[in-house]
Amino acid sequence: MREIEVSAVLPVYNDLSALKTAIPRSLEVLEAIAPGRFELIVAEDGSTDGSTEFVRDYEAKDSRVRLLHSDERLGRGRALNRAFAAALGSIVCYYDVDLATDMPHLTELIGAIRDGYDIATGSRLLPESIITRSGGREVASRGYNMLARTILGSSLHDHQCGFKAFRRDRILSLLPSVTADHWFWDTEVLVRAQKNGYRIREFPVRWQQGEGTTVRRNDVIEMGSAIVQLWWRLHVEKG
């Protein structure tokens, strides 16, 4: 059995079209970073568009690919929890299947963990970041992250960028305290990690908004509500 250093996870829900690009591109980049010492886990979360069958076929012909299928919809947070628990590598990472963050940044992401950081995360909101997205989404993102910094006391600039890596043992010890099971998972992990003294590296990335991503009024309200709820839980835990 080959030794695995890096386990890369692609969270997937009805993303068949994106997978056709993401899998071969991931294998190419990961092979350059950890030759023969990585696995690509597709955390497929109850898809109905043929994603499961596509990955299963890929897995059959390439041992570097692993399908982790769920019959029921778990939500991104729970799907990542499950994937990290099943991972074989000492370094685990995940990134969005639309490859919104430029893949060359994966070298820096993994390198930060190799250099001793517990968590590494890409940021779309540092001065050196280069991003392409709609004005409405930009405003919502900056507002959300400002609230996270102000209310939750975070020192990070971008909590929701889908491009993160972790020391596997450190993230697994943190996850039992994380209650978010979907999109808020990223923020809660980063906030709790800071409060537990984890070493975190945030670095600028080149990022381009994927197709079909919009921000609705209800999304903004839900974002603010989730931040306040986490603040309250942290306050109660401390008390």
Side-chain angles (χ1 to χ4, degrees), residues 95-125:
Y95 46 90
D96 292 335
V97 69
D98 62 0
L99 306 185
T101 304
D102 270 11
M103 286 297 281
H105 289 303
L106 196 59
T107 301
E108 186 171 3
L109 190 76
I110 300 301
I113 307 302
R114 285 173 170 168
D115 288 343
Y117 286 91
D118 299 309
I119 298 177
T121 180
S123 176
R124 300 160 296 181
L125 299 178

Side-chain angles (χ1 to χ4, degrees), residues 89 113 175 179 196:
I113 307 302
L175 288 180
T179 60
N196 281 276

Side-chain angles (χ1 to χ4, degrees), residues 146-154 224 227-228 231:
M146 183 186 71
L147 285 175
R149 286 167 61 85
T150 303
I151 296 175
L152 298 175
S154 174
I227 287 174
V228 171
W231 174 86

Side-chain angles (χ1 to χ4, degrees), residues 35-215:
R37 294 179 293 109
F38 74 89
E39 61 179 350
L40 179 63
I41 300 174
V42 180
E44 186 280 303
D45 192 13
S47 298
T48 57
D49 68 341
S51 291
T52 308
E53 292 74 19
F54 177 77
V55 179
R56 188 169 286 132
D57 288 345
Y58 220 111
E59 180 184 39
K61 65 184 181 184
D62 194 324
S63 63
R64 299 172 298 176
V65 177
R66 286 177 64 192
L67 170 65
L68 201 60
H69 168 71
S70 174
D71 287 331
E72 61 172 333
R73 186 89 161 98
L74 299 174
R76 189 174 74 164
R78 282 201 294 163
L80 287 172
N81 292 348
R82 181 177 178 231
F84 291 163
L88 300 176
S90 58
I91 298 172
V92 293
C93 69
Y94 85 91
Y95 46 90
D96 292 335
V97 69
D98 62 0
L99 306 185
T101 304
D102 270 11
M103 286 297 281
H105 289 303
L106 196 59
T107 301
E108 186 171 3
L109 190 76
I110 300 301
I113 307 302
R114 285 173 170 168
D115 288 343
Y117 286 91
D118 299 309
I119 298 177
T121 180
S123 176
R124 300 160 296 181
L125 299 178
L126 289 170
E128 304 88 349
S129 304
I130 301 172
I131 62 172
T132 305
R133 66 174 158 193
S134 67
R137 194 170 172 86
E138 174 75 1
V139 170
S141 177
R142 289 189 179 276
Y144 172 84
N145 284 287
M146 183 186 71
L147 285 175
R149 286 167 61 85
T150 303
I151 296 175
L152 298 175
S154 174
S155 63
L156 301 172
H157 294 80
D158 187 358
H159 301 78
Q160 290 299 111
C161 184
F163 198 75
K164 293 179 171 64
F166 311 88
R167 261 184 54 189
R168 181 173 177 270
D169 59 341
R170 294 288 274 160
I171 187 63
L172 289 184
S173 68
L174 185 70
L175 288 180
S177 67
V178 176
T179 60
D181 59 11
H182 195 34
W183 66 268
F184 192 65
W185 182 93
D186 302 72
T187 298
E188 185 171 357
V189 162
L190 291 179
V191 169
R192 288 189 180 275
Q194 289 175 83
K195 293 187 180 300
N196 281 276
Y198 283 39
R199 292 188 66 205
I200 303 176
R201 167 93 196 284
E202 182 180 28
F203 63 93
V205 295
R206 181 187 294 269
W207 184 92
Q208 183 165 354
Q209 178 177 319
E211 294 181 7
T213 52
T214 57
V215 176

